[in-house]
Amino acid sequence: MATPPHRRWLHPRWLTAALLSAVLGAGLGGCGGGGGGDGSAPPSTSTTPPSNPGTLTQEPGAPVMTGDMATDGANWINYRRAQVGLAQLAHNTMLDTAAQGHSNYQRTNNTISHTETAGQPGFMGAAPGDRIANAGYKLVLPYAYGEVISATSNSSGFYQAEELITAIYHRFVIFEPLFRDMGTGAAIASGSNAYAYFTADMATSNGYGASVGKGNVVVYPFSNQTRVPVNFFSDNESPDPVPTQNEVGYPVSVHADLLSVLTVQSFTIRPHGGAVMAVRLLTKAGDSDTPVSAAAIIPLSVLASGTTYDVSFSGSVDGIVVNRNWSFTTK
């Protein structure tokens, strides 16, 4: 049986109404809006394939598993952020409160959603921004916040975080450079078919975190990464990033700062010494769920095990030419 959905939510807010009107489409999970308004869209969902691979193999330099799902999930997110060259997120107890409350709400009400209903047990706020503010985290302009949630039969925080990073629309949120703070929460339901709920809330307020800078990007899988998974089940994410088929190759992505505009001239992947693979390209121009600051390719065939793949990206960030060539190796 397939596990329940992962979900994502990112809501940015910018310094001025003029900038908001121009770039609101950059918000992951956000829809366009003019003037001083803001927008949102129904959160996307993803589910993992109907297998339970257990905890991840310990990698050199990886955090040590504590057995606490919330702590392990946060540590794994920061571990992957550091590997791609992003700043690690500071632990914030107010965001912990928001995230833990939402995990508890989902378990208590047997639901998987970013939205809470007033009057239901454990209600903390209708939307992620409401819960973050109600937990005491003050959203002072300029600010941005994001939420990713998962519910699976696997209670490993490492596993939950890695599954969210695999799901490409969720990866766009987790690898947002401008976040500064993070809080996580987890709750495990009882019973033989119970699920473990994991929530990560990420935010920045009164200024942004460490920028990757104009004309710069980070990439994932990162250069020389090993043990990269060979596949991704596209039908388990909604909106479906590859509507025409289910099992595809592992997504490869490029990320700039939230307020940047990334354009793609060419984005390819090939086995070392082999031919360029057919891919599904995700950019804002062709996919409304992709932020304007990022792009991804999803190979239309499963990657080969134990194989090195060469990736080439050419494009621009805010009009500055960007060329990146790197390789990674699969499990």
Side-chain angles (χ1 to χ4, degrees):
M1 178 181 295
T3 53
H6 303 298
R7 299 182 181 233
R8 67 182 177 90
W9 180 291
L10 175 62
H11 183 100
R13 193 170 178 93
W14 289 274
L15 283 168
T16 66
L19 184 58
L20 175 66
S21 178
V23 300
L24 186 56
L28 312 182
C31 62
D38 52 31
S40 62
S44 65
T45 65
S46 74
T47 57
T48 57
S51 61
N52 189 343
T55 57
L56 301 175
T57 301
Q58 185 74 16
E59 301 179 16
V64 176
M65 183 175 290
T66 68
D68 179 87
M69 191 191 338
T71 299
D72 289 339
N75 288 345
W76 195 266
I77 287 172
N78 268 334
Y79 168 58
R80 289 301 194 203
R81 282 180 63 96
Q83 285 182 310
V84 302
L86 295 175
Q88 296 195 33
L89 303 176
H91 177 215
N92 185 281
T93 57
M94 289 175 285
L95 294 178
D96 276 348
T97 297
Q100 184 62 55
H102 191 55
S103 287
N104 290 343
Y105 175 90
Q106 292 178 96
R107 176 188 60 185
T108 300
N109 294 283
N110 192 28
T111 187
I112 305 167
S113 174
H114 288 285
T115 302
E116 295 185 7
T117 302
Q120 293 294 102
F123 175 77
M124 285 193 65
D130 300 323
R131 298 189 291 273
I132 288 170
N134 289 341
Y137 189 95
K138 297 185 182 301
L139 295 169
V140 178
L141 288 170
Y143 67 77
Y145 59 83
E147 179 175 273
V148 291
I149 63 177
S150 63
T152 77
S153 57
N154 190 319
S155 61
S156 162
F158 288 177
Y159 173 80
Q160 298 248 22
E162 185 73 1
E163 287 296 298
L164 288 166
I165 291 168
T166 296
I168 187 60
Y169 293 129
H170 303 74
R171 186 190 301 174
F172 289 144
V173 178
I174 291 171
F175 287 167
E176 169 50 49
L178 297 186
F179 288 143
R180 290 191 299 202
D181 303 315
M182 175 170 57
T184 55
I188 302 176
S190 59
S192 58
N193 294 319
Y195 293 107
Y197 297 87
F198 173 77
T199 303
D201 286 329
M202 293 156 279
T204 186
S205 180
N206 197 26
Y208 296 120
S211 165
V212 299
K214 292 182 72 67
N216 292 320
V217 296
V218 297
V219 303
Y220 196 80
F222 56 85
S223 180
N224 299 318
Q225 184 171 346
T226 59
R227 296 187 54 79
V228 174
V230 299
N231 64 350
F232 169 59
F233 289 86
S234 176
D235 289 356
N236 292 331
E237 188 161 16
S238 176
D240 187 341
V242 188
T244 56
Q245 64 187 92
N246 183 19
E247 189 177 15
V248 291
Y250 193 78
V252 180
S253 53
V254 174
H255 308 254
D257 292 327
L258 180 65
L259 302 182
S260 292
V261 177
L262 182 145
T263 62
V264 177
Q265 180 179 1
S266 175
F267 199 174
T268 63
I269 181 172
R270 69 178 78 205
H272 189 66
V276 170
M277 300 179 68
V279 299
R280 161 90 164 155
L281 172 65
L282 299 181
T283 65
K284 186 65 177 180
D287 176 49
S288 61
D289 290 287
T290 298
V292 73
S293 59
I297 51 173
I298 304 177
L300 298 182
S301 58
V302 175
L303 304 184
S305 298
T307 300
T308 297
Y309 285 85
D310 299 327
V311 183
S312 179
F313 172 87
S314 62
S316 67
V317 176
D318 296 329
I320 301 173
V321 173
V322 176
N323 294 300
R324 293 287 186 275
N325 296 285
W326 75 99
S327 301
F328 64 84
T329 303
T330 55
K331 292 182 181 179

